[in-house]
């Protein structure tokens, strides 16, 4: 028994030495060489020796700054490559072209500022790409040209302010797109074209103040749209009406809403659409007008429209009074110019004057009523 245990120990130690000989200093090879862990090894570049059977390579938390062309060409079996929290600023064209089976690539927390067409060469089977917390400023049609099979793209916390039309056009399989924490100010129709499989679109924490009505129309599978914490003061009904998904949840909290009657009408219509769910409607607050700042939209919407309706009625009544007064004065002048008036015509004139007086009294009462109603509603809003 002791001899057996001794033999087992020798074999294990020999195997361990054999495995370690495949790894650079600071790396740890595990799981029959399928997992190579080089995290926090303080290495400045990609390791020269990685077991050829490696499927997961963890190079996170190091000092790597450049991904050369045709990197890791001897490690075609890698499925997961973790490069987060390095100093990577340059990815040469074809840097990942040899990793034909790569499914997850994590480049978050680096210094990448541009994505060339060559960045995505060879990544047709990539399913998840993490690019959060980099220095990207714009996206165009070349940025993700070869990522046909990508399902999850994370671009959180970059400095993206421009997305050109068809930037994501090659990603027909994309299901999640995270763009929160960037510097987008507007959403133009066409930037999400071809994303027919997209389910989650996260645009929270940008500076979006304008959305074109058809921008979300291509997203026929979208179930979550996050527009919270932007600069939206109003929104067009057609913008969300164009979403034809069976069930879509929309987040709109922490925007500086201008709580006028038009906005109230838009939200009333949106809430009546059964396929759309405004999950945080009861938390929406007003920024303008100043008298309503920090009020919840749901608490002031009815008052807003009623006050506005009263205003319209007062204006209408004023116009009616003005027109009637002009007509009566014109009629009175015309009758005074008549010559040879008979007794009968004088009686008719007296009757006409009585009718005029009664009509003017009724209009004055109507004007007083509308003015009092409006003043009462205005005091309630204050």
């Amino acid at each position: 028994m002791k001899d057996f245990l001794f033999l087992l120990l020798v074999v294990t130690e020999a195997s361990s030495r054999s495995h370690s000989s495949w790894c650079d200093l600071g790396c740890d090879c595990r799981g029959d060489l399928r997992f190579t862990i080089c995290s926090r090894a303080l290495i400045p570049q990609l390791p020269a020796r990685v077991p050829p059977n490696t499927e997961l390579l963890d190079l996170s938390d190091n000092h790597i700054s450049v991904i050369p062309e045709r990197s890791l060409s001897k490690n075609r079996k890698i499925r997961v490559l973790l490069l987060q929290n390095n100093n990577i600023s340059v990815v040469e064209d074809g840097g990942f072209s040899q990793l034909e089976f790569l499914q997850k690539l994590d480049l978050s927390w680096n210094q990448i500022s541009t994505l060339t067409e060559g960045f995505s060469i060879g990544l047709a089977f990539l399913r998840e790409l993490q690019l959060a917390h980099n220095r990207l400023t714009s996206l165009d049609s070349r940025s993700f040209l070869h990522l046909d099979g990508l399902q999850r793209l994370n671009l959180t916390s970059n400095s993206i302010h421009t997305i050109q039309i068809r930037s994501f056009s090659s990603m027909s399989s994309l299901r999640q797109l995270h763009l929160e924490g960037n510097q987008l100010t507007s959403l133009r129709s066409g930037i999400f074209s071809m994303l027919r499989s997209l389910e989650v679109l996260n645009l929270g924490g940008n500076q979006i103040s304008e959305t074109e009505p058809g921008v979300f129309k291509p997203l026929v599978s979208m179930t979550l749209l996050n527009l919270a914490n932007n600069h939206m003061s109003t929104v067009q009904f057609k913008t969300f009406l164009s979403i034809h998904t069976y069930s879509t949840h929309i987040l709109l909290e922490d925007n500086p809403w201008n709580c006028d009657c038009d906005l109230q009408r838009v939200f009333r219509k949106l809430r009546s659409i059964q396929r759309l769910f405004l999950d945080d409607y009861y938390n929406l607050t007003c920024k303008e007008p100043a008298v309503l700042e920090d009020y919840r939209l749901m608490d002031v919407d009815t008052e807003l429209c009623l006050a506005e309706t009263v205003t319209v009625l007062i204006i209408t009544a004023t116009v009616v009074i003005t027109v009637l007064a002009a007509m009566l004065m014109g009629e009175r002048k015309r009758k005074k110019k008549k010559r040879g008036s008979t007794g009968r015509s004088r009686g008719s004139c007296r009757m006409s004057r009585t009718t005029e007086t009664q009509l003017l009294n009724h209009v004055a009462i109507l004007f007083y009523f509308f003015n009092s109603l409006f003043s009462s509603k205005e005091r309630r809003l204050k």
Side-chain angles (χ1 to χ4, degrees), residues 16-82:
S16 177
R17 289 177 179 176
S18 177
H19 286 189
S20 63
S21 66
W22 279 101
C23 293
D24 274 0
L25 184 65
C27 296
D28 183 15
C29 300
R30 307 173 184 173
D32 196 24
L33 303 180
R34 289 183 298 126
F35 308 113
T36 302
I37 311 300
C38 303
S39 179
R40 300 179 182 178
L42 304 179
I43 57 178
Q45 59 190 12
L46 297 179
R49 289 182 300 173
V50 176
N53 292 331
T54 297
E55 296 182 9
L56 184 151
L57 177 57
D58 185 354
L59 296 169
S60 62
D61 298 287
N62 283 291
H63 302 305
I64 301 170
S65 59
V66 177
I67 304 297
E69 181 182 3
R70 300 172 64 87
S71 298
L72 303 168
S73 58
K74 297 180 181 179
N75 303 99
R76 295 175 179 270
K77 294 184 178 181
I78 293 179
R79 296 178 180 272
V80 177
L81 178 57
L82 306 179

Side-chain angles (χ1 to χ4, degrees), residues 254-296:
D254 293 326
N255 278 282
W257 297 110
N258 180 12
C259 295
D260 57 11
C261 193
D262 288 337
L263 183 68
Q264 192 274 338
R265 290 193 188 100
V266 169
F267 277 108
R268 186 172 65 242
K269 291 179 181 178
L270 289 175
R271 294 179 67 201
S272 68
I273 300 177
Q274 295 183 355
R275 67 177 184 272
L276 299 180
F277 299 90
L278 306 182
D279 288 356
D280 55 3
Y281 171 75
Y282 296 106
N283 296 326
L284 303 187
T285 57
C286 305
K287 181 66 176 179
E288 295 179 348
V291 70
L292 297 177
E293 186 173 0
D294 295 329
Y295 275 70
R296 290 194 303 174

Side-chain angles (χ1 to χ4, degrees), residues 193-206:
S193 62
M194 304 303 293
L195 297 182
R196 300 182 62 85
S197 299
L198 194 68
E199 298 173 359
V200 176
L201 176 57
N202 194 338
L203 293 163
N206 278 272

Side-chain angles (χ1 to χ4, degrees), residues 114-267:
T114 57
L115 297 175
T116 64
E117 179 178 341
F119 165 79
S120 58
I121 292 177
L123 297 179
F125 291 99
L126 192 67
R127 296 294 179 265
E128 179 177 345
L129 175 59
Q130 296 285 341
L131 282 166
H133 298 278
N134 275 276
R135 297 183 177 181
L136 298 171
T137 58
S138 62
L139 304 175
D140 58 37
S141 58
R142 300 172 301 168
S143 301
F144 310 107
L145 190 61
H146 304 286
L147 302 180
D148 302 336
L150 199 67
Q151 296 182 2
R152 178 182 171 86
L153 175 60
N154 190 349
L155 295 165
T156 298
S157 297
N158 279 268
S159 299
I160 300 171
H161 56 77
T162 303
I163 300 178
Q164 294 185 8
I165 293 177
R166 299 182 68 82
S167 292
F168 308 109
S169 60
S170 63
M171 302 182 183
S172 57
S173 300
L174 194 66
R175 300 176 63 180
Q176 295 186 25
L177 176 57
H178 296 270
L179 282 161
E180 68 269 33
N182 281 282
Q183 299 176 13
L184 298 172
T185 58
S186 62
L187 300 176
R188 295 186 300 160
S189 296
I191 62 175
F192 301 126
S193 62
M194 304 303 293
L195 297 182
R196 300 182 62 85
S197 299
L198 194 68
E199 298 173 359
V200 176
L201 176 57
N202 194 338
L203 293 163
N206 278 272
Q207 302 169 21
I208 300 169
S209 60
E210 180 182 2
T211 56
E212 292 189 0
V215 66
F216 302 124
K217 188 175 182 179
L219 308 179
V220 295
S221 301
M222 185 169 58
T223 58
L224 176 62
L225 171 61
N226 185 2
L227 285 166
N229 192 22
N230 275 281
H231 291 179
M232 299 174 64
S233 60
T234 187
V235 66
Q236 297 183 51
F237 176 60
K238 292 181 179 179
T239 300
F240 295 138
L241 184 64
S242 63
I243 300 175
H244 295 293
T245 314
Y246 175 73
S247 174
T248 301
H249 294 261
I250 303 174
L251 302 178
L252 295 166
E253 195 173 357
D254 293 326
N255 278 282
W257 297 110
N258 180 12
C259 295
D260 57 11
C261 193
D262 288 337
L263 183 68
Q264 192 274 338
R265 290 193 188 100
V266 169
F267 277 108

Side-chain angles (χ1 to χ4, degrees), residues 1-11:
M1 184 65 177
K2 291 182 179 180
D3 293 339
F4 175 76
L5 291 176
F6 176 75
L7 180 61
L8 181 62
L9 181 62
V10 170
V11 171

